[in-house]
């Protein structure tokens, strides 16, 4: 029988057990234990999933049931203890709860003690009942008593915490209040009028508003609430978890995206989700000079009340979206006024923008062109979004709006001339995240030339052109004085890169197994067998055919010296993106490739999966892998390389785009020429068979990542630009790295031991 928090604390069968517990002192008066019983060993064995002849030698994994949690706390009037309530929810209904008393020495509340108690209680319940808590509603009152409890839930338990203000006192009025009616007899809702509109020809009779009555009575209500009895902590916890469940999607237990007024992306459910408690959470992930630089520019932006606006095409799925979520989160913590906007999606326009992306990278069919009709459709789409959301009064592009504007990628440059017309004085900075084949752009009449001419006619009105630090990415039509360099970045605290516990990894691996079985994909036999992974979108430039060919060559060599059970599997996986219609096409082509005669014998050991939008699934898949591949034929920067290295995984990658800047050949991985599957197979063989070499690379990798590819270092660069341009300075980088300009400006020089990405000098016209 389910236990309903605050209503049915125990069944009759539990009364004797409870009386015994009180007599022995196992619980005290007012406390309630969880009623659900721990999972038996028989059930654990049924749920365990290692299917292999050498099962006893492999670490076991267990299927875990996803659950939600509510957490609340009431501090005793004498501050001698806190009543902590936990409510368990299965996404449909609350099924169990507990109330515990945590006593404080010397009647002094201890935030750290509360945090540890909450974490330990959750861990104990999780292991006894084989559950994985994916989200938690935490009351603001508990957060006041233990300010770092949300960060601990995220870091240590991989629980997404949402903070809610929950009434801590009981209502004095018993029962449901009588609804107020308007003149037509319809109820008046307390938060607005629900009266239907009059029929055509009828006189509109405005119903009497109850807003003034509510306002007049608010003081009385507050006074009554203050004198009301305190609600039990379990009731508050139950209220919090019921609110939290609403913020998660119907499948995958992932938080919903929040898109607000004027199509503003609201990271972390408009701040309701709290995976970072304060900026101190970032300190361990960066070095002192980078830390100081961010605080320096954040202070200037706060004091000057500078407003910053970012514009990109999609809120989810691509690298730009990941960077913007992390950047806006940090800027808000720093008190910087930064907002991020996206257009309403258009499948037809996104087909055109993806074609443009492929054309500029040189991976599209030579017959593919940007037609005049597509240009017109593209322009109309930008104009529509700008006029509807951003240029109207109060919008970020209107008078009094943003002080500095950043435009991302070739989907959005159509905004630049519109901004120039409406506000000619505002600084506009264009950020290019992709490879631009400057060698093909110069060929008159080429597809690349046509696309670039269309885009450049708009981009040229920007004050700055930011590119990945690769010399061939900047066409010589861009004035060299406007060119600045900045790498792509990742966030070491988010779900994609943070350290996951073994418990959480096995949960996400269980989800992955289920996803594979749903489409009858080959099974990944981890942990009984290890595997090699490439994590990337299904894109024609990601080199997936070379990945498969390299793996098959490796297996042919290993089959001569090792049994099949000791040979690796191959996993190819990645997210989709709203603005990427190519993914399904490429995915189908890869599956067809596995049916070819030379690959078919190994197809059962090759797993190819498109992953739903869950950062932690990709994190788990990369964390559990033995070796990582990134064999792109064309690439921008691909920060997945740094993410793998940061996890201590040796990587084998191509000399494409910005990848060589991240890999130290022979130290944290290997670099190969594009398409050289033989070299890839050789390096894989060496790492698989030479244990000492593998360990050396793993250890070196963990400490070889620069601050420049983390959110904190990235924020320093953006805030430096915002500070300078908002002050009226016209920067002329002349091909310099923004990080170098920033560090010099704030007097935070690089230290001798500080890792840095290799600096390549970009010359005019290259």
């Amino acid at each position: 029988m389910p236990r309903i928090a605050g209503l049915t604390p125990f069944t009759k069968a539990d009364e004797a057990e409870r009386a015994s517990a009180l007599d022995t002192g196992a619980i005290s008066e007012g406390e309630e234990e969880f009623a659900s019983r721990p999972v038996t060993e028989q059930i654990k064995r049924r749920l365990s999933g290692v299917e292999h002849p050498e099962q006893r030698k492999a670490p076991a994994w267990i299927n875990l049931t996803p659950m939600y949690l509510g957490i609340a706390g009431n501090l005793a009037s004498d501050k001698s203890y806190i009543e902590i309530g936990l409510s368990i929810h299965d996404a449909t209904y609350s099924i169990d709860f507990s109330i515990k008393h945590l006593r404080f020495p010397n009647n002094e509340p201890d935030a750290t003690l509360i945090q540890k108690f909450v974490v330990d209680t959750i861990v104990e319940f999780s292991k006894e009942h084989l559950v994985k808590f994916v989200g938690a509603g935490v009351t603001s009152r508990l957060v006041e008593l233990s300010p770092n409890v949300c960060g601990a839930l995220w870091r240590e338990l991989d629980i997404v915490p949402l903070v809610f203000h929950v009434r801590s006192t009981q209502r004095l009025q018993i029962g449901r209040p009588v609804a107020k009616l308007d003149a037509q007899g319809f109820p008046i809702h307390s938060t607005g009028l629900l009266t239907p509109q009059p029929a055509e020809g009828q006189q509109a009779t405005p119903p009497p508003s109850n807003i003034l009555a509510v306002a007049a009575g608010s003081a009385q209500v507050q006074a009554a609430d203050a004198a009301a009895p305190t609600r039990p902590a379990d009731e508050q916890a139950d209220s919090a978890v019921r609110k939290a469940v609403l913020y998660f999607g119907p499948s995958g237990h992932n938080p919903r995206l929040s898109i607000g007024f004027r199509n503003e992306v609201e990271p972390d459910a408009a701040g309701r989700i709290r995976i970072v408690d304060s900026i101190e959470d970032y300190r361990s992930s960066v070095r002192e000079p980078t830390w100081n630089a961010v605080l320096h520019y954040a202070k200037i932006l706060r004091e000057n009340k500078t407003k910053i606006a970012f514009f990109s095409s999609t809120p989810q799925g691509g690298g730009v979206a990941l960077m913007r979520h992390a950047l806006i989160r940090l800027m808000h913590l720093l008190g910087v006024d930064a907002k991020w906007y996206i257009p309403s999606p258009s499948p037809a326009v996104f087909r055109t923008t993806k074609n443009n992306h492929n054309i500029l990278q040189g991976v599209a069919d030579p017959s593919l062109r940007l037609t005049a009709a597509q240009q017109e459709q593209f322009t109309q789409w930008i104009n529509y979004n700008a006029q509807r959301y951003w240029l109207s009064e109060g919008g970020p592009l209107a008078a009094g709006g943003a002080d500095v504007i950043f435009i991302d990628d070739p989907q959005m440059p159509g905004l630049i001339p519109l901004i120039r017309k409406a506000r000619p004085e505002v600084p506009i900075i264009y950020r290019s995240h992709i490879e631009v084949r400057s060698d093909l752009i110069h060929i008159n009449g080429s597809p690349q030339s046509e696309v670039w001419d269309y885009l450049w006619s708009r981009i040229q009105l920007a004050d700055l052109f930011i590119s990945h630090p690769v010399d061939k990415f900047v066409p010589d039509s861009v004035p060299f004085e406007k060119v600045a360099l900045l790498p792509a970045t990742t966030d070491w605290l988010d779900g994609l890169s943070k350290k996951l516990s073994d418990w959480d990894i096995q949960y996400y691996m269980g989800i992955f197994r289920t996803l594979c079985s749903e489409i009858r994909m080959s099974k990944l036999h981890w942990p009984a067998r290890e595997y090699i992974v490439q994590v990337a979108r299904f894109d024609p430039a990601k080199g997936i055919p070379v990945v498969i060919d390299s793996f098959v060559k490796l297996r042919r060599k290993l089959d001569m010296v090792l049994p099949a059970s000791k040979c690796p599997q191959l996993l190819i996986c990645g997210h989709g993106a709203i603005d990427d219609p190519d993914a399904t096409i490429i995915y189908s082509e890869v599956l067809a490739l596995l049916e070819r005669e030379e690959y078919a014998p190994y197809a059962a050991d090759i797993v190819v999966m498109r992953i739903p939008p869950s950062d932690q699934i990709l994190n788990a898949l990369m964390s559990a892998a033995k070796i990582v591949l990134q064999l792109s034929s064309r690439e921008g920067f691909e920060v997945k390389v740094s993410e793998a290295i940061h996890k201590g995984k040796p990587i084998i990658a191509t000399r494409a785009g910005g990848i060589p800047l991240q890999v130290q050949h022979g130290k944290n991985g290997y670099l190969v020429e594009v398409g050289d599957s033989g070299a890839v197979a050789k390096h894989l063989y060496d790492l698989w068979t030479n244990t000492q070499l593998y360990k050396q690379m793993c250890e070196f990798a963990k400490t070889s990542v620069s601050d420049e590819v983390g959110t904190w270092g990235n924020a320093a660069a953006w805030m430096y630009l915002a500070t300078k341009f908002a002050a009226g300075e016209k920067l002329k980088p002349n091909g310099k790295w923004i990080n170098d300009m920033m560090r010099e400006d704030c007097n935070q020089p690089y230290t001798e031991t500080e890792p840095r990405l290799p600096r390549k000098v970009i010359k005019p016209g290259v």
Side-chain angles (χ1 to χ4, degrees):
M1 171 181 176
R3 301 177 70 202
I4 304 173
L7 296 178
T8 56
F10 275 91
T11 63
K12 288 185 177 181
D14 295 317
E15 291 178 359
E17 182 179 338
R18 173 171 171 76
S20 174
L22 286 169
D23 291 341
T24 59
I27 61 172
S28 59
E29 191 64 42
E31 289 188 309
E32 302 279 4
E33 292 286 354
F34 288 112
S36 51
R37 301 299 180 232
V39 173
T40 64
E41 291 301 320
Q42 290 80 4
I43 294 178
K44 286 183 180 181
R45 285 197 296 272
R46 282 180 174 271
L47 292 175
S48 63
V50 177
E51 298 175 2
H52 191 269
E54 299 186 11
Q55 178 173 342
R56 295 179 182 178
K57 297 182 181 180
W61 64 269
I62 298 173
N63 279 317
L64 304 176
T65 303
M67 289 283 183
Y68 294 85
L69 181 70
I71 313 170
N74 289 328
L75 186 63
S77 57
D78 62 359
K79 299 183 179 180
S80 62
Y81 70 93
I82 181 174
E83 177 188 76
I84 296 179
L86 288 93
S87 179
I88 313 298
H89 201 288
D90 65 359
T92 300
Y93 208 73
S94 296
I95 59 171
D96 204 350
F97 77 97
S98 77
I99 302 174
K100 296 284 189 178
H101 291 169
L102 174 63
R103 302 195 176 275
F104 302 119
N106 304 319
N107 292 1
E108 294 181 2
D110 187 328
T112 303
L113 201 60
I114 295 172
Q115 174 184 316
K116 184 178 184 304
F117 182 84
V118 169
V119 169
D120 290 348
T121 302
I122 296 171
V123 169
E124 181 182 3
F125 185 93
S126 299
K127 292 186 175 180
E128 286 185 350
H129 297 79
L130 298 185
V131 303
K132 167 69 174 80
F133 290 109
V134 294
V138 185
T139 64
S140 56
R141 189 176 184 84
L142 181 67
V143 173
E144 291 173 4
L145 296 169
S146 184
N148 296 322
V149 67
C150 290
L153 292 175
W154 174 247
R155 284 189 313 275
E156 300 178 34
L157 305 181
D158 186 51
I159 296 174
V160 177
L162 297 97
V163 179
F164 299 99
H165 177 71
V166 174
R167 176 187 288 271
S168 59
T169 56
Q170 299 177 4
R171 293 182 183 272
L172 294 179
Q173 183 178 2
I174 305 300
R176 187 183 183 90
V178 178
K180 295 183 179 181
L181 305 179
D182 65 9
Q184 301 177 43
F186 292 104
I188 301 173
H189 195 267
S190 60
T191 58
L193 304 179
L194 299 183
T195 304
Q197 294 296 315
E200 185 176 352
Q202 290 185 347
Q203 182 73 23
T205 305
S209 173
N210 66 340
I211 296 177
L212 293 179
V214 171
S218 62
Q220 297 177 354
V221 171
Q222 291 175 7
D225 284 350
T230 300
R231 290 177 72 192
D234 63 302
E235 285 190 23
Q236 296 179 51
D238 185 63
S239 177
V241 71
R242 285 187 282 110
K243 296 176 190 293
V245 168
L246 299 177
Y247 282 79
F248 289 80
S251 63
H253 301 279
N254 298 314
R256 299 176 187 271
L257 280 173
S258 179
I259 310 297
F261 183 51
R262 299 189 186 278
N263 269 25
E264 179 187 350
V265 182
E266 299 172 327
D268 300 335
R272 182 75 68 186
I273 294 173
R274 192 173 299 181
I275 65 174
V276 180
D277 292 312
S278 72
I279 61 172
E280 289 298 320
D281 290 352
Y282 292 87
R283 183 179 282 275
S284 63
S285 68
V286 296
R287 296 162 182 87
E288 196 67 21
T290 312
W291 176 266
N292 295 335
V294 166
L295 299 184
H296 170 77
Y297 292 111
K299 180 181 179 183
I300 297 173
L301 293 171
R302 285 196 307 269
E303 291 175 348
N304 295 337
K305 298 181 179 179
T306 303
K307 299 186 290 294
I308 303 170
F310 291 88
F311 291 85
S312 62
S313 63
T314 173
Q316 178 180 286
V320 176
L322 289 169
M323 287 189 283
R324 292 294 165 264
H325 276 283
L327 181 64
I328 299 300
R329 177 188 302 126
L330 175 55
M331 285 186 166
H332 287 176
L333 279 173
L334 292 164
V336 175
D337 187 350
K339 292 182 170 62
W340 169 27
Y341 301 92
I342 59 165
S344 293
S346 166
V349 171
F350 284 161
R351 177 66 270 172
T352 298
T353 60
K354 183 60 180 178
N355 288 347
N356 291 345
H357 182 284
N358 292 341
I359 289 171
L360 290 174
Q361 285 194 315
V363 297
D365 188 296
S367 64
L368 191 63
R369 299 278 176 159
L370 176 61
T371 66
Q374 290 171 335
Q375 292 181 26
E376 179 63 22
Q377 183 185 50
F378 196 0
T379 301
Q380 289 180 359
W381 174 68
I382 284 288
N383 290 344
Y384 166 79
N385 280 279
Q387 297 295 338
R388 178 175 182 180
Y389 299 118
W390 308 319
L391 283 169
S392 57
E393 184 179 355
L397 303 183
D403 300 309
V404 183
I405 296 169
F406 297 100
I407 307 290
D408 279 311
D409 266 346
Q411 293 93 335
M412 304 298 291
L415 275 180
I416 299 175
L418 301 178
I419 301 168
R420 277 284 172 257
K421 182 178 179 180
R423 296 178 61 196
E425 79 290 347
V426 69
I428 306 172
I429 298 168
Y430 176 75
R431 173 44 158 137
S432 174
H433 295 269
I434 67 170
E435 176 183 6
V436 178
R437 288 289 301 276
S438 56
D439 56 329
L440 299 177
I441 283 171
H442 303 315
I443 302 175
N444 290 332
S446 68
Q448 290 76 19
S449 175
E450 292 175 353
V451 171
W452 177 250
D453 288 346
Y454 171 79
L455 296 174
W456 178 241
S457 66
R458 292 148 174 79
I459 297 170
Q460 65 181 339
L461 300 175
D463 296 285
L464 211 63
F465 183 98
I466 301 176
S467 169
H468 287 319
V470 181
D471 52 4
K472 295 180 181 179
F473 283 16
V474 184
D476 58 11
S477 52
V478 182
F480 190 64
E481 64 179 14
K482 287 187 175 183
V483 176
L485 306 180
L486 187 68
T489 59
T490 191
D491 190 81
W492 307 127
L493 304 184
D494 70 7
L496 197 60
S497 299
K498 69 171 182 171
K499 182 176 176 56
L500 293 174
S501 69
D502 292 342
W503 186 261
D504 296 322
I505 287 175
Q506 68 178 345
Y507 168 71
Y508 292 111
M509 296 301 273
I511 292 178
F512 181 74
R513 285 186 179 86
T514 301
L515 293 172
C516 290
S517 65
E518 287 175 352
I519 64 169
R520 303 182 70 179
M521 176 53 63
S522 301
K523 181 181 292 187
L524 192 68
H525 293 287
W526 179 91
R529 291 177 64 186
E530 295 182 293
Y531 63 92
I532 299 162
V533 68
Q534 172 161 304
V535 176
R537 288 201 286 179
F538 287 89
D539 182 283
K542 295 301 181 181
I544 297 176
V546 182
V547 172
I548 294 172
D549 193 57
S550 302
F551 175 74
V552 170
K553 287 179 178 178
L554 167 69
R555 283 296 305 270
R556 287 172 181 159
K557 293 180 69 174
L558 289 177
D559 285 349
M560 293 187 292
V561 295
L562 293 174
S565 62
K566 297 294 185 181
C567 291
Q569 291 183 279
L570 173 65
L571 169 63
I572 301 170
C573 63
H575 285 326
I578 296 172
D579 63 342
D580 183 6
D582 275 347
T584 301
I585 299 171
I586 302 301
Y587 181 77
S588 298
E589 290 177 355
V590 173
L591 295 182
L593 191 65
L594 296 180
E595 296 178 1
R596 286 170 47 173
E597 183 179 353
E598 63 267 40
Y599 301 143
Y602 298 97
D605 274 344
I606 300 176
V607 181
V608 184
M609 284 293 295
R610 295 178 67 186
I611 307 298
S614 168
D615 289 345
Q616 288 99 312
I617 292 179
L618 287 185
N619 187 343
L621 291 170
M622 188 177 286
S623 298
K626 181 148 179 113
I627 304 170
V628 178
L629 301 176
Q630 188 60 57
L631 303 184
S632 304
S633 58
R634 296 288 173 185
E635 196 55 82
F637 188 81
E638 191 47 89
V639 77
K640 284 283 183 295
V641 173
S642 285
E643 290 171 358
I645 295 171
H646 187 262
K647 292 180 180 297
K649 304 295 180 181
I651 187 163
I652 302 170
T654 50
R655 291 185 172 91
I659 290 176
L661 300 175
Q662 304 170 73
V663 180
Q664 298 182 45
H665 183 73
K667 293 183 177 180
N668 56 15
Y670 293 106
L671 290 168
V672 300
E673 298 302 323
V674 171
D676 192 349
S677 59
V680 176
K682 177 185 179 302
H683 293 311
L684 284 171
Y685 184 86
D686 292 341
L687 288 170
W688 199 264
T689 57
N690 188 332
T691 304
Q692 185 61 31
L693 173 66
Y694 180 81
K695 288 182 178 179
Q696 287 176 356
M697 280 202 168
C698 291
E699 290 304 314
F700 183 84
K702 294 174 184 177
T703 59
S704 62
V705 178
S706 167
D707 286 352
E708 295 165 321
V709 296
T711 296
W712 193 271
N714 184 243
W718 290 115
M719 291 193 293
Y720 161 73
L721 293 175
T723 299
K724 295 302 178 183
F725 277 98
E729 295 187 37
K730 296 294 184 181
L731 296 179
K732 296 182 178 181
N734 290 298
K736 293 182 180 177
W737 285 58
I738 297 174
N739 302 78
D740 297 343
M741 298 168 64
M742 174 268 298
R743 293 284 285 264
E744 181 180 355
D745 179 75
C746 66
N747 195 28
Q748 293 291 330
Y750 293 100
T751 63
E752 292 183 3
T753 59
E754 186 175 356
R756 295 170 65 191
L757 296 174
R759 268 34 176 181
K760 279 191 174 183
V761 178
I762 294 184
K763 299 177 181 179
V766 176

